[in-house]
Amino acid sequence: MAVLVFVLLLGLAAALAWLVRRGAGLERRLSRAESDLRRLRAFQVEAAVLETARGRFRRRQRGVEQAVDSGTRSVEQAHRSLAGRFGWPAGEDLYRRLRGVNRTIGRGVSGLFAPATASRRRESLRDWSAGRRDTSNHDED
């Protein structure tokens, strides 16, 4: 009987040791998961801020594109008016091509600010985030 109790206690001690070890491992994994979650939340906040900044940029870009297009149309109308008054050729195709060139240049400039691949977007986000951290550190000085 004493042997049975001893074996039982030994088994319980082994099970308890295993549970303690298992608990410590789970605690380490949980700690890493919490750390990863904090990083993901910070990344999500930075991504949202970046998306807002890109949205503002896009709205401003559209405003500039509309202003350039409107200016081109105004010059075109003035030119046509003068051409009609003096009997000059109006160059109908010229302004349509000029608006096309303006759009092409605008898209090209936009491409400089919008990374084409996912890895470049991630790199851009890291660079932008590092710049924000540097700026906030200077603000504290």
Side-chain angles (χ1 to χ4, degrees):
M1 180 78 166
V3 174
L4 182 61
V5 170
F6 177 74
V7 170
L8 186 58
L9 287 175
L10 189 60
L12 286 174
L16 182 60
W18 180 83
L19 286 173
V20 167
R21 186 175 174 191
R22 177 81 173 155
L26 289 174
E27 187 175 343
R28 283 191 303 274
R29 288 176 52 200
L30 183 59
S31 178
R32 280 193 303 262
E34 286 173 342
S35 177
D36 290 345
L37 182 60
R38 280 192 299 278
R39 276 195 302 277
L40 284 173
R41 284 182 181 154
F43 180 74
Q44 181 184 19
V45 167
E46 289 291 324
V49 170
L50 179 60
E51 184 61 31
T52 300
R54 283 185 175 164
R56 278 194 309 270
F57 174 79
R58 296 283 187 242
R59 285 189 299 279
R60 289 177 183 153
Q61 177 187 15
R62 280 192 299 272
V64 168
E65 288 173 356
Q66 289 170 352
V68 167
D69 193 50
S70 176
T72 302
R73 289 183 191 278
S74 296
V75 169
E76 178 182 5
Q77 289 172 350
H79 182 256
R80 285 182 188 199
S81 177
L82 287 172
R85 219 171 257 189
F86 296 110
W88 299 333
E92 299 293 325
D93 202 35
L94 173 68
Y95 290 100
R96 184 179 52 78
R97 283 185 289 183
L98 184 56
R99 282 191 298 277
V101 167
N102 285 342
R103 278 192 298 277
T104 301
I105 290 172
R107 287 184 191 124
V109 169
S110 293
L112 295 174
F113 296 103
T117 65
S119 64
R120 287 201 177 151
R121 281 192 290 278
R122 284 191 298 275
E123 181 181 332
S124 172
L125 180 59
R126 278 192 303 272
D127 292 347
W128 179 80
S129 181
R132 281 180 46 89
R133 280 193 300 274
D134 290 346
T135 301
S136 66
N137 289 340
H138 292 300
D139 291 343
E140 293 171 0
D141 293 340

